[in-house]
Amino acid sequence: MAWFKRKNKKALADRSLKQGVALVTNYAPNSRISEEYRTLRTNISFSQADGDIKTLVITSAAAAEGKSTVSSNVAVTFAKQGLNTILVDLDMRRPMVNATFGQQNIGGLVKLLTTDGEKLEEQLPLYAKPTQIENLTVLVAGPTPPNPSELLGSKRMLALLKYLREHYDRVVLDTPPVLSVTDAQIVAAHADATVLVVPYGLAQKKFVLQAKDLLTKVDANIIGVVMNRMPAQGGAGYYYYGGYYK
């Protein structure tokens, strides 16, 4: 059974890298799944008393657990609410935002972080590109660098997060899985909130708890868990997004 799950996850991950993830909130806005994403959007917005969540990390314990699908669709729902939103692909090792939104994976975040001496406000428009969805901008990861963790922990990255927070209503950060590399921890330590994606029937409890502990160690503000791929009522297929738990 474990081997079967690993095989399915790998096939899903490989397909998503080439084709991107499904933006159901854009092509089927009236579907049950889209309504679930709008509920998730509302829960995120009101998860803190002051409602001041602008920079949001979305991650998972392991690879191929749906964090990029959740990240992209949450970004779309924020944009459709009229909020000026940017989706940033921080998964430099396995980028997916470029395929999802049909953009070339050149320049992007890597180029922005490695261009020393240039002002962020002057460089960002060169790499952050608008999408066909109104109010939604994406910043692709760019070519894989030899030192992704060091780049994400750099002063320039912190300056970028601050700039994005000041100039966008919502900043959705698609990070690598927590147990794979330290990237998610590095970014979550400086974000307003973190959401952990847990796939029904695939995620292992011990790994989810390990991911939670690692995020807690860097004082990440974990506001909840998204359980996705939950079986649909009646057993016909499944809902990609199925529930949000504080």
Side-chain angles (χ1 to χ4, degrees):
M1 180 61 71
W3 173 82
F4 179 75
K5 289 181 178 179
R6 288 197 299 270
K7 183 179 179 181
N8 280 358
K9 288 178 69 174
K10 185 179 186 304
L12 179 62
D14 291 343
R15 184 168 66 250
S16 296
L17 279 174
K18 296 178 182 179
Q19 302 175 2
V21 300
L23 291 177
V24 63
T25 48
N26 186 46
Y27 68 74
N30 297 321
S31 67
R32 172 65 184 272
I33 301 177
S34 294
E35 181 59 33
E36 295 281 3
Y37 274 111
R38 286 190 286 271
T39 300
L40 173 58
R41 176 192 65 195
T42 300
N43 289 340
I44 290 172
S45 298
F46 293 97
S47 61
Q48 294 188 171
D50 57 11
D52 192 26
I53 292 180
K54 281 197 167 184
T55 52
L56 175 68
V57 164
I58 297 182
T59 189
S60 59
E65 293 190 339
K67 53 93 179 171
S68 290
T69 299
V70 174
S71 299
S72 296
N73 281 282
V74 165
V76 170
T77 61
F78 279 132
K80 285 182 175 292
Q81 193 182 24
L83 299 174
N84 187 20
T85 304
I86 185 168
L87 171 64
V88 185
D89 193 345
L90 300 180
D91 197 340
M92 301 178 189
R93 298 169 179 84
R94 295 178 66 86
M96 207 167 294
V97 169
N98 57 297
T100 299
F101 290 90
Q103 296 193 9
Q104 291 184 308
N105 194 37
I106 56 177
L109 178 66
V110 172
K111 184 67 174 179
L112 189 61
L113 295 180
T114 54
T115 305
D116 295 329
E118 299 289 344
K119 294 182 178 180
L120 285 172
E121 59 268 26
E122 296 176 355
Q123 291 294 302
L124 185 62
L126 299 177
Y127 306 115
K129 302 297 182 180
T131 67
Q132 294 181 342
I133 300 170
E134 189 176 2
N135 301 318
L136 181 60
T137 300
V138 298
L139 178 59
V140 301
T144 303
N147 56 342
S149 298
E150 286 77 8
L151 285 180
L152 294 180
S154 65
K155 292 181 179 179
R156 191 166 175 85
M157 181 64 197
L158 293 180
L160 176 61
L161 287 176
K162 181 180 179 182
Y163 181 85
L164 294 178
R165 195 180 192 282
E166 293 173 349
H167 290 81
Y168 287 88
D169 298 318
R170 294 292 184 271
V171 181
V172 181
L173 305 167
D174 182 358
T175 72
V178 178
L179 300 184
S180 300
V181 287
T182 61
D183 299 11
Q185 288 177 272
I186 293 171
V187 179
H190 301 285
D192 295 331
T194 297
V195 169
L196 194 62
V197 176
V198 179
Y200 178 92
L202 288 177
Q204 297 187 41
K205 182 178 180 180
K206 64 177 181 179
F207 294 146
V208 175
L209 291 176
Q210 286 178 17
K212 180 257 184 185
D213 289 341
L214 288 172
L215 290 169
T216 301
K217 287 180 179 178
V218 296
D219 294 325
N221 179 25
I222 306 174
I223 60 171
V225 171
V226 171
M227 179 166 284
N228 62 347
R229 302 178 188 168
M230 293 178 67
Q233 295 178 357
Y238 59 80
Y239 295 136
Y240 198 89
Y241 163 69
Y244 175 80
Y245 306 91
K246 291 196 70 173

